Amino acid sequence: MRLNRVLRMSAAVVAAGLALSACGGGGSDAGSGSSGAKNLVAKAKNDKKLTIGIKFDQPGLGQKQSDGSYAGFDVDVAKYIAKELGVEESGITWKEAQSAQREDLIKKGEVDFIVATYSITDKRKNDVSFAGPYFIAHQDLLVRADSTDITGPESLTGNKKLCSVKGSTPAQNVKEKYAKEVQLEERGKYTDCVTSLLNKTVDAMTTDDVILAGYAAQQPGKLKLVGKGFTDEKYGVGLKKDDTESVTAINNAIKKMQQDGAWKAALEKNVGPSGYKIPEPPAIS
Amino acid sequence: MSTLFDFLDNPNYDLLGAFWMTIKLTFFSAIGSLIWGTILVGMRVSPVPIMRAFGTAYVNIFRNTPLTVIIVFTSLGLSSTLGINLASADSTTSLEDNAFRLAILGFIAYTATFVCESLRSGINTVPVGQAEAARALGLGFLQVLTLIVLPQAFRSVIAPLTNVMIALLKNTTVASIIGVAEASLLMSDMIENESDSLLLVFLIFAVGFVILVLPLGLLLGWVAKKVEVKR
């Protein structure tokens, strides 16, 4: 890749320029919220307040309701953790954590922790610490209820059309593994994919099964999950890097939630209506 | 230094392919919008009231609609809902081709209005005597426009048209929302995977666009100087 080297050189030059003119940004400021407490656990204990990042637009996981409240499995997990740390629901400030901004929100201290379908990856561990996993999702397929010929990823032959969100990991998996057999339509939002699926522009949409279950629950009787997961996505709770004490505290909260039945109840309430099979809770790593 | 950019070695990051798609989008949209924009300006200065009305209405509607709305409409509105597809449904690349062509259609519809308005200001630089002389020679409206007025108008608006083309090049990033695999779509992939080097990702794409836009601006600036009408 000779040309990539050229690109690297030019990028390096610009990077140097940026650094010189001190507009590089990304400075590692070690601000820790408003209270100046040294970690999340102490802050929760002292202030009785937490700012938590969630998704606002994922039915079944984290969604802003029309009355301004928030509902979903991620939201329930976040509430449970907050309660274990001594913060009541009234002390929680919810903040939208869009996928691309998650590391940034944590680094800048704009949120104390994030529960937003946040997959644990090695790259992300360079920037944030993870507690959990509190859930393991698998990439799956969502099809129309009357569809019979798609039974799993191996049945994606014969020029099937598949929809996913641009830039997302599931979309990239499809590009890597199934690009020969299927056509991938990349959209801006999952709801666009649901639209395409319902009006038969595409044959299936793909992302993590629990996210798909949320959409299936929204469209009762029209869509169904194939139920052949083909990857493992470990959802973790993201928080400031190297805050080990808080990681332990959150892990304990997750364990407790799994043991006292609240974990299962939350899943059943939020994604159960889609016929999604509730899995066993994952072991905390 | 080089370790910073190691993630570029990922075989899934086809930078050149992505920017090539950007160039293709820009090229076809530029040709299309120049042609459609010229037809529109002909309508706007024509002696036929209904044509003038259509041209004015078209320009005002499309110029004041956000490009994002237009592009999403081509995909969700034209293609998904109304079933107007620009690629045969059986081909193995029908989704790609369809998205690509719909995006170009959207860019042409939008950019042509700016081309039209630039040209109309160019027409105003052509002295009225020119058109009058042409009429006196017995040329009809179309002949006056195509032989006398437009050639002079074009030469005086290369500079504003350059701006329109540069804006078009950067606007092509909007096509990623309907799944055209151009530069900004690859950027979303990288942002998802390379959370620890976001600034570099942005930088690479910013530099990529600078590399595309600078020569375009310089070239067209030079052309503008060459063909300027000295009055």
Side-chain angles (χ1 to χ4, degrees):
Chain A
M1 292 298 283
R2 276 267 314 269
L3 255 147
N4 266 353
R5 206 169 303 153
V6 176
L7 281 170
R8 283 178 191 200
M9 286 295 292
S10 50
V13 169
V14 179
L18 276 180
L20 280 176
S21 60
C23 63
S28 57
D29 78 307
S32 56
S34 52
S35 64
K38 64 183 188 309
N39 68 22
L40 198 152
V41 177
K43 188 184 162 197
K45 207 181 292 184
N46 299 339
D47 301 2
K48 299 278 174 237
K49 276 200 191 70
L50 280 172
T51 307
I52 305 176
I54 51 167
K55 291 269 184 188
F56 278 17
D57 55 358
Q58 297 264 261
L61 287 157
Q63 194 182 27
K64 192 173 184 171
Q65 307 292 308
S66 47
D67 63 0
S69 65
Y70 300 92
F73 177 62
D74 279 345
V75 176
D76 290 342
V77 171
K79 281 180 190 166
Y80 196 98
I81 292 170
K83 207 164 140 216
E84 288 300 302
L85 298 175
V87 177
E88 288 303 316
E89 207 175 314
S90 55
I92 298 176
T93 311
W94 300 107
K95 206 171 166 87
E96 181 166 27
Q98 291 180 341
S99 293
Q101 301 169 339
R102 288 179 298 207
E103 293 80 23
D104 218 30
L105 287 169
I106 292 172
K107 273 204 260 184
K108 288 208 173 78
E110 288 183 40
V111 295
D112 295 309
F113 62 88
I114 283 184
V115 194
T117 63
Y118 202 3
S119 294
I120 301 174
T121 66
D122 289 343
K123 287 261 184 194
R124 287 170 180 165
K125 281 182 185 167
N126 293 335
D127 286 322
V128 297
S129 284
F130 285 102
Y134 63 92
F135 189 81
I136 296 184
H138 313 283
Q139 186 174 346
D140 203 344
L141 300 161
L142 185 72
V143 292
R144 287 182 293 276
D146 58 350
S147 154
T148 50
D149 54 349
I150 298 180
T151 52
E154 65 288 341
S155 66
L156 290 170
T157 51
N159 201 15
K160 291 272 188 301
K161 297 189 175 103
L162 198 57
C163 185
S164 194
V165 163
K166 71 181 172 99
S168 65
T169 316
Q172 294 183 48
N173 286 341
V174 171
K175 274 192 245 181
E176 267 180 59
K177 293 182 194 135
Y178 306 106
K180 301 257 181 316
E181 292 89 17
V182 295
Q183 294 190 51
L184 179 69
E185 175 163 53
E186 294 191 73
R187 292 276 185 183
K189 304 192 301 288
Y190 285 118
T191 40
D192 295 349
C193 278
V194 175
T195 309
S196 293
L197 186 58
L198 286 172
N199 66 23
K200 304 191 179 174
T201 319
V202 295
D203 305 306
M205 69 182 270
T206 181
T207 180
D208 302 350
D209 50 8
V210 65
I211 297 177
L212 293 173
Y215 290 110
Q218 260 193 334
Q219 307 272 355
K222 287 189 191 160
L223 301 172
K224 67 174 184 202
L225 267 169
V226 170
K228 279 265 173 67
F230 49 96
T231 60
D232 283 343
E233 296 288 338
K234 295 184 170 125
Y235 288 177
V237 177
L239 59 155
K240 224 182 202 50
K241 195 164 157 42
D242 301 330
D243 188 352
T244 43
E245 191 190 336
S246 305
V247 169
T248 313
I250 291 177
N251 277 339
N252 290 336
I254 295 170
K255 276 183 202 145
K256 193 173 161 190
M257 186 175 185
Q258 291 174 348
Q259 281 152 9
D260 70 6
W263 186 88
K264 198 165 180 223
L267 270 178
E268 271 166 2
K269 184 183 83 180
N270 291 305
V271 290
S274 67
Y276 179 72
K277 217 165 115 323
I278 310 290
E280 283 303 299
I284 307 282
S285 50
Chain B
M1 190 78 218
S2 72
T3 53
L4 265 184
F5 292 92
D6 271 355
F7 64 85
L8 281 178
D9 292 337
N10 182 333
N12 295 327
Y13 294 162
D14 182 10
L15 267 174
L16 294 176
F19 274 108
W20 178 235
M21 182 57 97
T22 296
I23 293 169
K24 278 197 290 190
L25 274 176
T26 310
F27 178 80
F28 291 117
S29 308
I31 304 285
S33 58
L34 283 170
I35 295 168
W36 180 223
T38 310
I39 297 170
L40 277 175
V41 82
M43 288 184 183
R44 290 208 68 174
V45 297
S46 80
V48 186
I50 188 133
M51 276 193 162
R52 275 208 308 271
F54 172 83
T56 310
Y58 178 93
V59 166
N60 281 328
I61 290 168
F62 279 84
R63 203 177 40 168
N64 296 320
T65 311
L67 179 61
T68 318
V69 174
I70 292 175
I71 297 294
V72 170
F73 175 78
T74 58
S75 176
L76 283 183
L78 288 184
S79 172
S80 299
T81 314
L82 300 175
I84 300 168
N85 289 313
L86 304 179
S88 75
D90 322 325
S91 79
T92 50
T93 53
S94 66
L95 280 179
E96 253 177 85
D97 296 346
N98 196 30
F100 178 70
R101 288 165 195 170
L102 285 168
I104 288 175
L105 184 75
F107 289 131
I108 290 174
Y110 178 81
T111 313
T113 62
F114 293 91
V115 172
C116 166
E117 292 309 274
S118 301
L119 272 176
R120 215 160 57 98
S121 68
I123 287 177
N124 292 338
T125 66
V126 181
V128 179
Q130 295 272 337
E132 282 171 353
R135 295 290 296 169
L137 289 172
L139 301 181
F141 168 74
L142 265 184
Q143 287 170 305
V144 174
L145 191 69
T146 51
L147 299 175
I148 312 292
V149 176
L150 273 183
Q152 296 184 60
F154 254 111
R155 291 165 63 171
S156 62
V157 292
I158 301 283
L161 279 181
T162 306
N163 287 340
V164 171
M165 291 304 136
I166 287 174
L168 167 65
L169 178 79
K170 290 183 290 187
N171 282 344
T172 55
T173 52
V174 175
S176 68
I177 55 176
I178 61 168
V180 181
E182 45 68 70
S184 72
L185 193 96
L186 179 59
M187 191 168 90
S188 340
D189 284 1
M190 287 195 189
I191 288 171
E192 171 83 7
N193 303 340
E194 316 298 335
S195 55
D196 50 357
S197 32
L198 279 188
L199 268 176
L200 287 180
V201 172
F202 286 126
L203 214 74
I204 288 164
F205 284 92
V207 168
F209 275 96
V210 168
I211 290 172
L212 287 182
V213 170
L214 266 182
L216 183 75
L218 291 172
L219 174 79
L220 290 173
W222 174 80
V223 171
K225 274 211 174 53
K226 285 288 282 190
V227 302
E228 209 175 14
V229 185
K230 305 278 188 293
R231 293 195 196 280

